[in-house]
Amino acid sequence: MLTVHHFYRNEMEAALEDNHAAIILVAQVGAQREEVLARRNVATVLLHLGDWEAAKQQVEEGLALARDLGAKRFIAGFLHNLGSVLAASGQRLEGEACLQEAYGLICESL
């Protein structure tokens, strides 16, 4: 019998596959905003699955795109995720710096 946890993991992995495919498609047509959204989704799923290294890679790539677009809300979101990944991997000071930067961007937008 499948458990709820197993079902949840399958759904998360399906979402991961869909969003990876979206990244490829939107990158081919140069839709950077949509690529940022897809990378944010992938990073979030990877964080939920506990795949810190893959999540960090997606966050860093998404953060670079968000910075290129000047999209402060997305930058703040990626910085929050990066801070969480860094803190979880034992890099607390670096993680705190990312979280502080994210907080600053959020305060600017209020």
Side-chain angles (χ1 to χ4, degrees):
M1 175 170 26
L2 295 177
T3 64
V4 172
H5 175 70
H6 182 74
F7 174 78
Y8 176 75
R9 184 165 187 83
N10 287 341
E11 291 299 311
M12 296 297 275
E13 288 173 354
L16 192 60
E17 288 178 27
D18 290 346
N19 280 282
H20 273 298
I23 289 170
I24 293 167
L25 291 172
V26 297
Q28 288 174 348
V29 297
Q32 287 184 314
R33 184 176 175 2
E34 288 74 14
E35 185 176 349
V36 167
L37 293 168
R39 286 193 185 281
R40 183 188 65 182
N41 293 342
V42 168
T44 300
V45 171
L46 290 167
L47 287 169
H48 284 291
L49 293 173
D51 190 344
W52 305 114
E53 194 57 40
K56 183 179 176 190
Q57 179 184 352
Q58 289 298 320
V59 166
E60 288 172 342
E61 291 178 24
L63 179 58
L65 281 172
R67 286 190 193 279
D68 286 347
L69 293 172
K72 289 184 180 182
R73 284 188 347 199
F74 292 126
I75 294 168
F78 281 117
L79 285 169
H80 176 268
N81 286 343
L82 183 57
S84 299
V85 169
L86 291 171
S89 64
Q91 299 174 49
R92 291 187 56 172
L93 293 177
E94 295 88 342
E96 184 178 331
C98 288
L99 293 171
Q100 287 294 331
E101 187 180 350
Y103 179 73
L105 287 171
I106 291 167
C107 288
E108 285 177 18
S109 66
L110 295 178

